[in-house]
Amino acid sequence: MARIHKIDPETAPAEVKKAIEEHVAKGYRITNEKLTLLHSVPCFQAIEVGSYAVDEELASIVGKRAADIYEYAISAANDCIVCTTYFKKLLTSEGIDINNFAFTKDEELLVEFARALANDPRHVPTELKDRMQARYSDREFVVITSMGIMMLANNYFNDIMEVEPEKL
């Protein structure tokens, strides 16, 4: 059971309804995490809207599939049920069986970096950061790292608030 109740979009204040309308108008779904975050529109904007903006930039660098795999890998390594469930469903809808397909070399590097961030963000191995910098420009490495941090924020929020995962 969730730590706090989700907001009810039908009875929510006007500012929350507006945030929902804007989010849905962009083609995004309203999930349990979002209905929990919407207790505070600035928190929703920082964590969700902000992560979508960074995700779009990441996808422009590594491609949508690699971005989704990277974000899934962070959530799986961080053991966040909500985000792991979300990304597993997303990858399945894209025709990807996460347990049965071949990663590209770039995806392998991103997954390795994702796992390192999730396991110990303060001590990502220097050798791994060197390989990331050899492959990606400074700007690209900033975007990849920032998306990783956004995913960790989502994961921690879901775990602390005991948000219920979406049904597959």
Side-chain angles (χ1 to χ4, degrees):
M1 175 165 220
R3 170 81 28 204
I4 61 174
H5 69 280
K6 299 178 288 191
I7 61 106
D8 179 351
E10 299 295 321
T11 60
E15 130 180 90
V16 171
K17 287 181 179 180
K18 181 180 178 200
I20 291 172
E21 288 170 13
E22 290 172 354
H23 198 65
V24 170
K26 291 179 180 176
Y28 304 127
R29 295 183 320 108
I30 299 299
T31 62
N32 291 340
E33 174 185 9
K34 295 170 189 177
L35 290 173
T36 305
L37 271 166
L38 280 161
H39 280 281
S40 167
V41 171
C43 292
F44 171 76
Q45 291 171 336
I47 295 176
E48 281 301 314
V49 177
S51 69
Y52 277 92
V54 177
D55 179 61
E56 287 175 18
E57 192 167 0
L58 175 64
S60 75
I61 294 166
V62 301
K64 179 161 176 28
R65 173 181 134 143
D68 291 343
I69 290 168
Y70 174 66
E71 293 162 29
Y72 171 81
I74 290 169
S75 299
N78 204 30
D79 204 24
C80 176
I81 303 290
V82 172
C83 290
T84 302
T85 301
Y86 173 84
F87 280 104
K88 188 174 240 179
K89 183 177 181 180
L90 179 66
L91 291 166
T92 299
S93 76
E94 295 171 359
I96 298 169
D97 175 357
I98 199 69
N99 298 314
N100 259 337
F101 82 106
F103 291 107
T104 67
K105 291 287 183 194
D106 285 345
E107 289 166 349
E108 286 176 0
L109 180 59
L110 288 169
V111 167
E112 185 179 351
F113 187 66
R115 289 177 178 152
L117 281 177
N119 291 328
D120 189 356
R122 290 187 177 152
H123 299 101
V124 174
T126 299
E127 176 273 329
L128 176 55
K129 289 187 276 190
D130 290 345
R131 284 190 288 130
M132 289 293 291
Q133 286 184 285
R135 170 60 186 93
Y136 297 103
S137 71
D138 289 349
R139 179 187 159 279
E140 292 169 336
F141 191 34
V142 165
V143 172
I144 293 165
T145 303
S146 295
M147 189 65 233
I149 291 164
M150 297 299 286
M151 281 310 305
L152 291 172
N154 276 280
N155 292 177
Y156 294 144
F157 178 84
N158 286 318
D159 289 344
I160 292 164
M161 291 295 154
E162 301 171 21
V163 173
E164 294 177 14
E166 304 294 313
K167 295 193 178 5
L168 286 176

